[in-house]
Amino acid sequence: MLYILAILLPPVAILLTGKIFQAIFNAVIAILHAIIAVHGYHRDKRDERIIKAARGDK
């Protein structure tokens, strides 16, 4: 059960083992990773629009 949680919801799995600070740290790292991934996605879309505009594509 904990292994499945460790794959799907790592901070919850760590919390259930009694390691509160490690669970909080893991959640913070996951949030930062998500923010960086979303920012990269938006940056790539913006770059595509700029390239299309520079080429004159519609």
Side-chain angles (χ1 to χ4, degrees), residues 18-37:
K19 299 179 179 183
I20 296 169
F21 293 112
Q22 289 180 0
I24 293 169
F25 179 73
N26 189 282
V28 169
I29 294 296
I31 291 168
L32 289 174
H33 178 256
I35 290 170
I36 290 168

Side-chain angles (χ1 to χ4, degrees), residues 36 38-50:
I36 290 168
V38 169
H39 177 72
Y41 171 79
H42 288 294
R43 185 185 59 227
D44 292 344
K45 292 298 179 183
R46 182 187 65 231
D47 291 347
E48 288 174 12
R49 286 194 309 270
I50 292 170

